[in-house]
Amino acid sequence: MSGQNQRLTVVPTVTMLGVMKARLVGATRGHALLKKKSDALTVQFRQILRKIVTAKESMGEAMRASAFSLAEAKYVAGDGVRHVVLESVRSASLRVRSRQDNVAGACRAAHVRAIEVLVELASLQTSFLTLDEAIKTTNRRVNALENVVKPRIENTIAYIKGELDELEREDFFRLKKIQGYKKRELERQRQAALLFAEEQFAERIALKKGISVGSAHGLLAAASDRDDDIIF
């Protein structure tokens, strides 16, 4: 039988046996539901992990694009190179018409895209951590039900059944003992009744024949022996 620390402390009764069986059914159902929940969370966890990997790759591309667009904007909008060329030339041999493209909008769009990817990545990482904690909590509950709660209830049920069987055996032997006592008591009462009847009969014979009660008993014993000889 299991030790006290591996089962619940209960009174071994039929009612408690029913309660423990109901608790075992509830624990089994709870274990199955939590196991399904853990599996579903694990699937969602892996999906988010794949999204995080994709977002990190997108973030690298977005950061490179934003850095390149910023460098391009600085280059186009800057005056350093143009001033050096103009100072070394007094009169232009050729005249060209130059214009500046509006690269600020492209730079802004690249940085906005990079920020959006960063926000998405931060959101995914937050969901990742939340799911990780939820999976750990659920798995702890699954393990507790599987390795602690259910075994204790099962051991308690086995303990109650063993105690009830022992009580049933004790009741059987007690009943058998009582029946034996009643049988012996009935036999004693029957013998006492026979002895009383014999005494009464001997007294009547003694009064009728005018002899002592002891002599009457002797006559009855002799008559009984003759009857036995006749029978056998």
Side-chain angles (χ1 to χ4, degrees):
M1 189 173 293
S2 301
Q4 180 70 21
N5 59 341
Q6 296 179 353
R7 64 172 176 83
L8 300 174
T9 303
V10 296
V11 179
T13 62
V14 176
T15 302
M16 185 55 65
L17 179 61
V19 172
M20 288 295 104
K21 287 183 177 180
R23 289 184 63 177
L24 180 60
V25 171
T28 302
R29 290 178 180 175
H31 176 267
L33 291 175
L34 286 175
K35 193 68 173 62
K36 290 181 180 179
K37 179 181 178 181
S38 177
D39 294 340
L41 290 175
T42 302
V43 172
Q44 190 175 359
F45 180 83
R46 291 174 180 172
Q47 292 175 350
I48 290 180
L49 184 60
R50 286 194 293 268
K51 289 181 180 180
I52 288 176
V53 173
T54 303
K56 284 186 176 181
E57 293 175 352
S58 300
M59 182 185 68
E61 296 176 358
M63 295 300 291
R64 284 193 297 270
S66 63
F68 179 77
S69 63
L70 178 61
E72 184 181 13
K74 287 183 178 180
Y75 176 77
V76 173
D79 295 331
V81 176
R82 185 177 60 182
H83 288 167
V84 172
V85 174
L86 291 177
E87 288 176 357
S88 62
V89 177
R90 293 184 177 180
S91 62
S93 58
L94 294 174
R95 293 182 179 273
V96 295
R97 182 176 297 174
S98 64
R99 63 184 179 85
Q100 292 183 354
D101 294 332
N102 185 12
V103 296
C107 179
R108 180 178 181 278
H111 279 75
V112 169
R113 173 57 184 163
I115 292 173
E116 289 176 350
V117 173
L118 285 174
V119 171
E120 181 183 3
L121 181 60
S123 176
L124 288 172
Q125 288 180 336
T126 301
S127 300
F128 178 86
L129 295 175
T130 302
L131 275 177
D132 182 60
E133 186 62 29
I135 290 173
K136 289 179 180 178
T137 302
T138 303
N139 287 338
R140 282 196 296 268
R141 295 177 65 186
V142 170
N143 292 332
L145 284 171
E146 184 175 354
N147 300 319
V148 179
V149 177
K150 288 180 63 180
R152 281 186 178 178
I153 296 176
E154 290 170 351
N155 291 337
T156 303
I157 290 175
Y159 162 74
I160 294 175
K161 286 183 177 179
E163 292 296 320
L164 290 178
D165 290 341
E166 183 67 23
L167 290 174
E168 185 176 357
R169 286 192 294 269
E170 290 178 358
D171 289 340
F172 173 76
F173 288 121
R174 188 181 299 109
L175 181 61
K176 190 174 181 180
K177 186 176 181 180
I178 292 173
Q179 289 176 345
Y181 172 78
K182 288 182 177 180
K183 186 176 181 180
R184 290 191 299 271
E185 182 64 19
L186 289 174
E187 181 63 21
R188 187 189 66 79
Q189 292 177 2
R190 189 180 70 83
Q191 292 294 335
L194 289 175
L195 181 60
F196 179 76
E198 185 178 347
E199 290 288 342
Q200 293 294 320
F201 189 59
E203 289 180 0
R204 287 198 297 271
I205 292 176
L207 291 174
K208 185 176 181 180
K209 293 184 175 292
I211 59 177
S212 64
V213 176
S215 299
H217 277 293
L219 292 174
L220 289 174
S224 177
D225 291 339
R226 286 196 300 272
D227 292 340
D228 291 339
D229 292 339
I230 293 173
I231 293 173
F232 295 103

